[in-house]
Amino acid sequence: MGKLLNPDICVIGGGAAGLSLAAGAAAFGVPVVLVEQGKMGGDCLNYGCVPSKALIAAARRAQAMRQAGEFGLLSAEPFIDGERLQARIRSVIEGIAPHDSIERFSGLGVEVIQEPARFVDGRTVAAGDHLIRARRFVIATGSSPAIPPIAGLAETPFLTNESLFDFTPLPRHLVIIGAGPFGLEMAQAHCRLGASITVVERADALSREDPELKAIVLDAVRAEGAVLHERTDIRSVERDGKGIRLHCVGENAAFDIDGSDLLLAAGRSANHAALNLGAAGIRHDAQRIFVGADLRTSNRRVYVIGDAAGGLQFTHAANYHARLVLQQILFRLPAHEIRDIVPRVTFTDPEIAQVGPTEEEARASFSAIDVVRWDLAGNDRARTDGLGRGMVKVVAGRGGRILGAGIAGAGAGEMINLWAFAIANRLTLKNFRDYVAPYPTLSEIGKQAAISYYSPLARNRFVRSAIRILRRFG
């Protein structure tokens, strides 16, 4: 018989979501068992956010060398040392890894089991030779790259985010399937590092984003040399000598794309197939586990957080989920996910960030909205730093309450923080108008947008007052 464990909480998955919840529970002295069959830190640390941003940082510096002439300096075409670049990416991961390590969590009092987990029944999980009968279970098994059903793909070598950052030498002509955030981030980064880039997307690139804002980003990516085919179907893929070939059909004609390497960036699939969820009475299908707004499953003992819950697939959303579930388990306080307060960022250059509904989404949900815009070109810091196109776009409801905000431009991922805070706390544009922003900073753009919202109203009030005075004394 296996070893029987009876913790308060059993967490399945040692990625961002699971580690956040385990650390939070352990801080309150709650007995926790964490089951992780792979690398601690999950996708974000090992294959996602961390290595991709390290690659993007290198690509940004390569581009800065090419553009140095704009600042009165000598421009230079960078020499890309692929081995040193990969070594730096590994060193960044290794620098963060101790924070997510078994040793650290064991030190916090968490019992870590490195085995696959599966439900035996509604209140028991098996992991190796352990049987875990916990008061509450939290599934945090993350997601994996989705493999699209394309003819010939199984016989054709391809990369995903799980293999891209260990790939040497750097691709000569990288063909990317998928023009979502990861696909476009990697397209621009590899283009800046010297590769030819072709991106194929069956729908619209960055389809979730505001059309005005994403146009700024897509124009920049194309201007740097990436070729984007939107609204294009891939009929089949095949190996072609030492490279690959895609047979495509666009809006007007069929055509082929030849490349040296293929990267799949066509979305993510939740990891839950091996958990034997049916034995625990947990409703699910092949794509997702069904959860309520409180992140609870049909089995009241079991919660799902992070990518495994579907919907918001961001590390910061995983941390948010962990807090919501801890609030329910530890303090027995109600909590539910509010997606409008969770921002998203695509780390292209310029970046694009959004929190709350876009203009189109807001018009579908609210009877009356106002939209205010402010161009990056009107900001002094943007001029001193030689930044290109950009825009802040804010959707406001009655009384100037901030419903949503989108930013395309340098530093959008940093600037969106203040707007996320405003939406979470139901602030209005008056709050933005009244605070003092340091000069010269990009964040002043938000204040300028807020002032522009109130200026027409002030003028209208003046006109109305003048009319009333003329009528009175007329």
Side-chain angles (χ1 to χ4, degrees), residues 61-116:
R61 282 158 178 77
Q63 190 70 0
M65 293 174 66
R66 296 186 185 97
Q67 296 175 334
E70 299 174 11
F71 295 86
L73 308 174
L74 183 64
S75 298
E77 183 61 30
F79 172 77
I80 310 299
D81 187 330
E83 291 186 2
R84 290 184 67 183
L85 174 57
Q86 283 198 337
R88 182 180 185 274
I89 292 172
R90 286 194 297 271
S91 73
V92 173
I93 294 172
E94 291 165 1
I96 298 172
H99 186 267
D100 294 349
S101 66
I102 293 174
E103 292 76 15
R104 174 173 178 258
F105 277 81
S106 296
L108 294 174
V110 177
E111 182 166 353
V112 181
I113 300 173
Q114 289 189 285
E115 297 284 354

Side-chain angles (χ1 to χ4, degrees), residues 26 39 118 149 178 211 325 348 414 440:
K39 293 182 178 181
R118 63 181 179 84
V325 170
T348 46
E414 299 295 335

Side-chain angles (χ1 to χ4, degrees), residues 173-179 183-184 186-188 190-191 195-201 205 218-230 232 246 248 255-258:
H173 182 175
L174 182 63
V175 179
I176 302 174
I177 298 178
L184 285 184
M186 292 302 96
Q188 187 181 48
H190 280 85
C191 191
S196 296
I197 296 293
T198 304
V199 183
V200 185
E201 170 58 57
L218 297 180
D219 287 350
V221 172
R222 286 188 171 103
E224 292 184 17
V227 177
L228 271 61
H229 295 285
E230 300 179 83
T232 298
L246 278 67
C248 305
F255 61 97
D256 293 342
I257 299 172
D258 294 319

Side-chain angles (χ1 to χ4, degrees), residues 8 25 42 66 70 94 155 227-228 235 237 243 255 261 274 306 312-313 317 349 360 383 391 428 430 459:
D8 271 19
R66 296 186 185 97
E70 299 174 11
E94 291 165 1
E155 295 75 42
V227 177
L228 271 61
R235 292 295 174 86
V237 178
F255 61 97
D261 303 282
L312 304 173
Q313 295 184 329
D349 183 11
E360 182 179 1
R383 291 178 179 274
M391 178 192 292
T428 69
K430 181 180 183 298
R459 286 196 299 271

Side-chain angles (χ1 to χ4, degrees), residues 138-153:
V138 181
I139 297 171
T141 46
S143 63
S144 297
I147 309 301
I150 299 173
L153 187 59

